Amino acid sequence: MYSMYPMYYHVPSPYIHNDYAPNNQRSELRKYQPSIGQIITVPPTSAAFKNGTRVFIHDVKFQYDNVRNEWIEYIYVVYPRVSSNGSCVIEARWVSVYDLDGTQTLTR
């Protein structure tokens, strides 16, 4: 018997989507992906920013690092900076989760 309504529903995958690799990455690597479009205060241990810096998370991507043999989350952040003449300017760049958190490895 044909049913118009399937017995299953599409559920988002718990894995990181990557068109060029199998979906075998762990979902706990997605630390900052849920924060896209939000302003956050960086952790006090951040190696990339001063304590208390507020950044806007614009985008997140995942790249495989052959040296570490793992997938690393990279976050595209937009943040204010004081220029040499004292005015406030906006900058943006990609930083790894390790630089943003100030950690060397993720706890698993």
Side-chain angles (χ1 to χ4, degrees):
M1 181 172 138
Y2 173 76
S3 174
M4 209 164 135
Y5 303 101
M7 295 300 294
Y8 63 90
Y9 299 95
H10 175 70
V11 177
S13 171
Y15 303 112
I16 297 166
H17 176 70
N18 185 332
D19 292 333
Y20 304 105
N23 277 337
N24 59 358
Q25 301 87 27
R26 295 164 48 168
S27 62
E28 55 264 23
L29 292 176
R30 297 176 176 204
K31 183 170 183 178
Y32 289 100
Q33 189 177 33
S35 300
I36 292 175
Q38 297 179 5
I39 296 175
I40 64 162
T41 302
V42 296
T45 57
S46 177
F49 299 99
K50 293 180 184 177
N51 187 9
T53 303
R54 294 177 52 82
V55 297
F56 176 77
I57 299 181
H58 184 268
D59 197 7
V60 171
K61 69 179 178 179
F62 299 89
Q63 287 185 341
Y64 190 77
D65 186 353
N66 290 325
V67 175
R68 293 179 187 248
N69 290 328
E70 66 180 343
W71 287 92
I72 298 178
E73 183 177 27
Y74 284 89
I75 304 102
Y76 191 71
V77 294
V78 180
Y79 57 95
R81 183 183 66 82
V82 178
S83 68
S84 59
N85 65 359
S87 62
C88 183
V89 295
I90 300 295
E91 289 191 353
R93 66 177 168 150
W94 287 100
V95 293
S96 74
V97 67
Y98 299 120
D99 291 336
L100 193 59
D101 287 347
T103 58
Q104 293 302 314
T105 58
L106 289 175
T107 57
R108 304 201 181 195

